[in-house]
Amino acid sequence: MLAGYVATGIVPVSDSGTFNGVGRFNGGPEVPFFVQNVESGKRYRFRIINQSARNVFTMSVDGHDLTIIETDGTPTTPMVVNEIQMLAGQRYSVVLEANQPVANYWINAPFVGGNPAVNPNQNATLSRAILRYAGAPAADPVTPMTLGPDNPNALIEANLRPLVAEAAPPSDVNITLELMVTPGKAQWNVNNVSYLSPVVPTLVKVLDGANMAADFNATENTFILPANSVIQIHFLPNDDDEAHPFHLHGNNFFLIKSNTTDIINTVDPIRRDVYQHFYPRHTVSDNFRPRRPVSEIRASFSDSLPIGQEPGSSTAISSGTCKQDLRLSWPLAPVMALIVQISIPTRPGRIYALRTMLSRLISSNSSCRLGDESRLCDEDVTLYLS
């Protein structure tokens, strides 16, 4: 499949999706769906992780609201929704209250990711699980399989706010990036440069003293930035119709403008480490269509990150190098990426290659954080979408 992608630029499209590794596909055996058991009157913290290579899942639970309390490891002002779109690598914690009649309910996670015409075997409606109340029969829900609620109250990313407000610091350096895909080819470009891994790795060059643009290949797409600085990255509009999650290694940045809004928010923006620049043409719901496909982030770079610091909890990364890249598994050879080097004139930069560890970035406590911190969730559950 990788050879076919490299030759045509057409990314393979999934047959189906899974919940915690369990799922069905067209023509396959009708294995039991994953079951999440609950008890009436209890509150559950669901830590939802999209660990897929590509799919964009839209998560909902029939008849139940979901209260978002955490975004990519950042405690979030509670927001009640009934549908959440999740890109590869994104994580949310939600609180579900088991307050409906005893029965079985569908947990829906239909997905998009590429043109369905590429794979006629695709069946996104099979990407689901069952929420089963204690006392309900061990059977599938009697209601039909749907793509989600008839009247969606969907998450709008621009409406997310941190639990503890923090203003984005003024930027010291501004960078504009134009992201393009070469039609019919497996070639991704940032500012007209397609990243190619150098024979001598970038980190090795830095350890050997490289600290100027001329020290790196043009195809390394390396930006030399001052230490202890705040960098604002502006992403230009783009006609690409794929759902591309981007992240900056070792940094949870301020998302000061989501492409779900026209407003720039520097007062209390959400901090996250995976964001979406483009929206897919083949969406499950039109609610996720951006008004302006533009996004901006601010990231702080300093010389103060201790070894082992979790990237989901810090405002800075160390001096040295970090990488911003497309968080998909298929474009491994034709990576859309750039390298950021933070320079310190007086000594060589320390190097940390921090990658997102999905299961570790979610905070460990089970507090539901719904305004009354004495109220804890009765159970803590992790749901992996793939």
Short mmCIF file of all heavy atoms in Angstrom, two decimals, residues 199-227:
data_model
loop_
_atom_site.label_atom_id
_atom_site.label_comp_id
_atom_site.label_asym_id
_atom_site.label_seq_id
_atom_site.Cartn_x
_atom_site.Cartn_y
_atom_site.Cartn_z
N VAL A 199 21.45 13.15 5.00
CA VAL A 199 22.35 12.02 5.27
C VAL A 199 22.92 12.15 6.67
O VAL A 199 22.97 11.18 7.43
CB VAL A 199 23.47 11.98 4.21
CG1 VAL A 199 24.49 10.87 4.56
CG2 VAL A 199 22.88 11.73 2.82
N VAL A 200 23.38 13.36 7.01
CA VAL A 200 23.83 13.64 8.38
C VAL A 200 22.64 14.24 9.13
O VAL A 200 22.16 15.31 8.77
CB VAL A 200 25.02 14.63 8.41
CG1 VAL A 200 25.43 14.92 9.84
CG2 VAL A 200 26.18 14.06 7.61
N PRO A 201 22.11 13.57 10.15
CA PRO A 201 20.91 14.07 10.84
C PRO A 201 21.08 15.49 11.35
O PRO A 201 22.19 15.90 11.76
CB PRO A 201 20.73 13.07 11.99
CG PRO A 201 21.40 11.82 11.52
CD PRO A 201 22.57 12.28 10.70
N THR A 202 20.01 16.25 11.35
CA THR A 202 20.03 17.64 11.79
C THR A 202 20.58 17.75 13.21
O THR A 202 21.37 18.65 13.51
CB THR A 202 18.62 18.24 11.71
OG1 THR A 202 18.13 18.12 10.38
CG2 THR A 202 18.63 19.71 12.10
N LEU A 203 20.17 16.86 14.10
CA LEU A 203 20.63 16.93 15.48
C LEU A 203 22.14 16.75 15.58
O LEU A 203 22.82 17.39 16.40
CB LEU A 203 19.92 15.88 16.34
CG LEU A 203 18.41 16.01 16.48
CD1 LEU A 203 17.87 14.91 17.38
CD2 LEU A 203 18.03 17.38 17.03
N VAL A 204 22.68 15.87 14.74
CA VAL A 204 24.13 15.65 14.75
C VAL A 204 24.84 16.91 14.27
O VAL A 204 25.88 17.30 14.83
CB VAL A 204 24.50 14.44 13.87
CG1 VAL A 204 26.03 14.30 13.76
CG2 VAL A 204 23.90 13.16 14.45
N LYS A 205 24.29 17.56 13.26
CA LYS A 205 24.90 18.81 12.78
C LYS A 205 24.92 19.86 13.89
O LYS A 205 25.91 20.58 14.06
CB LYS A 205 24.11 19.34 11.58
CG LYS A 205 24.22 18.49 10.33
CD LYS A 205 23.43 19.12 9.19
CE LYS A 205 23.49 18.28 7.93
NZ LYS A 205 22.72 18.88 6.81
N VAL A 206 23.82 19.95 14.65
CA VAL A 206 23.76 20.93 15.73
C VAL A 206 24.80 20.61 16.80
O VAL A 206 25.50 21.50 17.30
CB VAL A 206 22.34 20.98 16.33
CG1 VAL A 206 22.31 21.88 17.56
CG2 VAL A 206 21.34 21.47 15.30
N LEU A 207 24.93 19.34 17.15
CA LEU A 207 25.94 18.95 18.14
C LEU A 207 27.35 19.26 17.66
O LEU A 207 28.25 19.52 18.46
CB LEU A 207 25.81 17.45 18.44
CG LEU A 207 24.58 17.03 19.25
CD1 LEU A 207 24.47 15.52 19.30
CD2 LEU A 207 24.63 17.61 20.65
N ASP A 208 27.53 19.26 16.35
CA ASP A 208 28.84 19.58 15.78
C ASP A 208 29.04 21.08 15.60
O ASP A 208 30.06 21.50 15.05
CB ASP A 208 29.01 18.87 14.43
CG ASP A 208 29.20 17.37 14.59
OD1 ASP A 208 29.57 16.93 15.70
OD2 ASP A 208 28.97 16.63 13.61
N GLY A 209 28.06 21.88 16.03
CA GLY A 209 28.25 23.33 16.03
C GLY A 209 27.46 24.08 14.99
O GLY A 209 27.57 25.31 14.90
N ALA A 210 26.65 23.43 14.17
CA ALA A 210 25.87 24.13 13.16
C ALA A 210 24.86 25.05 13.83
O ALA A 210 24.12 24.63 14.72
CB ALA A 210 25.15 23.13 12.27
N ASN A 211 24.84 26.32 13.44
CA ASN A 211 23.90 27.27 14.05
C ASN A 211 23.48 28.38 13.09
O ASN A 211 22.94 29.39 13.51
CB ASN A 211 24.49 27.88 15.32
CG ASN A 211 25.81 28.60 15.06
OD1 ASN A 211 26.19 28.85 13.91
ND2 ASN A 211 26.51 28.92 16.14
N MET A 212 23.73 28.18 11.79
CA MET A 212 23.32 29.14 10.79
C MET A 212 22.56 28.42 9.68
O MET A 212 22.76 27.21 9.46
CB MET A 212 24.53 29.87 10.20
CG MET A 212 25.32 30.70 11.20
SD MET A 212 26.64 31.64 10.40
CE MET A 212 27.65 30.30 9.74
N ALA A 213 21.71 29.15 8.98
CA ALA A 213 20.90 28.54 7.93
C ALA A 213 21.78 27.86 6.88
O ALA A 213 21.41 26.81 6.33
CB ALA A 213 20.01 29.61 7.29
N ALA A 214 22.94 28.45 6.61
CA ALA A 214 23.82 27.89 5.58
C ALA A 214 24.39 26.52 5.98
O ALA A 214 24.93 25.80 5.13
CB ALA A 214 24.96 28.86 5.30
N ASP A 215 24.29 26.16 7.26
CA ASP A 215 24.81 24.88 7.72
C ASP A 215 23.88 23.71 7.41
O ASP A 215 24.25 22.55 7.64
CB ASP A 215 25.06 24.93 9.24
CG ASP A 215 26.12 25.94 9.62
OD1 ASP A 215 27.04 26.15 8.81
OD2 ASP A 215 26.01 26.52 10.72
N PHE A 216 22.69 24.01 6.92
CA PHE A 216 21.69 22.96 6.70
C PHE A 216 21.27 22.92 5.24
O PHE A 216 21.30 23.94 4.54
CB PHE A 216 20.47 23.21 7.59
CG PHE A 216 20.80 23.32 9.04
CD1 PHE A 216 21.01 24.57 9.63
CD2 PHE A 216 20.92 22.19 9.83
CE1 PHE A 216 21.34 24.68 10.97
CE2 PHE A 216 21.24 22.29 11.17
CZ PHE A 216 21.45 23.53 11.75
N ASN A 217 20.86 21.75 4.79
CA ASN A 217 20.35 21.61 3.44
C ASN A 217 19.05 22.38 3.30
O ASN A 217 18.26 22.48 4.25
CB ASN A 217 20.10 20.15 3.10
CG ASN A 217 21.35 19.30 3.20
OD1 ASN A 217 22.46 19.81 3.05
ND2 ASN A 217 21.17 18.01 3.45
N ALA A 218 18.77 22.89 2.11
CA ALA A 218 17.51 23.59 1.88
C ALA A 218 16.33 22.68 2.15
O ALA A 218 15.29 23.12 2.67
CB ALA A 218 17.46 24.12 0.45
N THR A 219 16.46 21.38 1.86
CA THR A 219 15.36 20.44 2.05
C THR A 219 15.20 20.01 3.51
O THR A 219 14.29 19.24 3.81
CB THR A 219 15.57 19.19 1.17
OG1 THR A 219 16.88 18.66 1.40
CG2 THR A 219 15.41 19.54 -0.30
N GLU A 220 16.07 20.49 4.40
CA GLU A 220 15.82 20.28 5.83
C GLU A 220 14.82 21.29 6.35
O GLU A 220 14.28 21.12 7.45
CB GLU A 220 17.13 20.40 6.62
CG GLU A 220 18.06 19.23 6.46
CD GLU A 220 19.34 19.39 7.25
OE1 GLU A 220 19.34 19.10 8.46
OE2 GLU A 220 20.35 19.83 6.64
N ASN A 221 14.59 22.37 5.59
CA ASN A 221 13.59 23.38 5.94
C ASN A 221 13.77 23.85 7.38
O ASN A 221 12.84 23.82 8.19
CB ASN A 221 12.19 22.81 5.74
CG ASN A 221 11.23 23.84 5.16
OD1 ASN A 221 11.63 24.96 4.84
ND2 ASN A 221 9.97 23.48 5.02
N THR A 222 14.97 24.28 7.70
CA THR A 222 15.33 24.63 9.07
C THR A 222 15.19 26.12 9.33
O THR A 222 15.66 26.94 8.54
CB THR A 222 16.79 24.20 9.36
OG1 THR A 222 16.90 22.79 9.15
CG2 THR A 222 17.19 24.53 10.79
N PHE A 223 14.54 26.47 10.42
CA PHE A 223 14.38 27.86 10.84
C PHE A 223 15.27 28.09 12.07
O PHE A 223 15.16 27.35 13.05
CB PHE A 223 12.93 28.18 11.21
CG PHE A 223 11.99 28.21 10.03
CD1 PHE A 223 11.63 27.04 9.37
CD2 PHE A 223 11.45 29.41 9.58
CE1 PHE A 223 10.77 27.07 8.28
CE2 PHE A 223 10.59 29.45 8.51
CZ PHE A 223 10.24 28.28 7.85
N ILE A 224 16.12 29.08 12.03
CA ILE A 224 16.99 29.41 13.16
C ILE A 224 16.30 30.52 13.96
O ILE A 224 16.04 31.60 13.44
CB ILE A 224 18.37 29.90 12.69
CG1 ILE A 224 18.95 28.93 11.64
CG2 ILE A 224 19.30 30.05 13.88
CD1 ILE A 224 19.18 27.54 12.15
N LEU A 225 16.02 30.24 15.23
CA LEU A 225 15.25 31.18 16.06
C LEU A 225 16.04 31.55 17.31
O LEU A 225 16.81 30.72 17.83
CB LEU A 225 13.91 30.56 16.46
CG LEU A 225 13.01 30.10 15.31
CD1 LEU A 225 11.79 29.36 15.85
CD2 LEU A 225 12.58 31.27 14.45
N PRO A 226 15.84 32.74 17.84
CA PRO A 226 16.53 33.14 19.07
C PRO A 226 15.98 32.40 20.28
O PRO A 226 14.78 32.08 20.34
CB PRO A 226 16.26 34.64 19.16
CG PRO A 226 15.00 34.85 18.39
CD PRO A 226 15.02 33.84 17.28
N ALA A 227 16.84 32.14 21.25
CA ALA A 227 16.41 31.48 22.48
C ALA A 227 15.52 32.43 23.29
O ALA A 227 15.54 33.65 23.10
CB ALA A 227 17.61 31.06 23.30
#
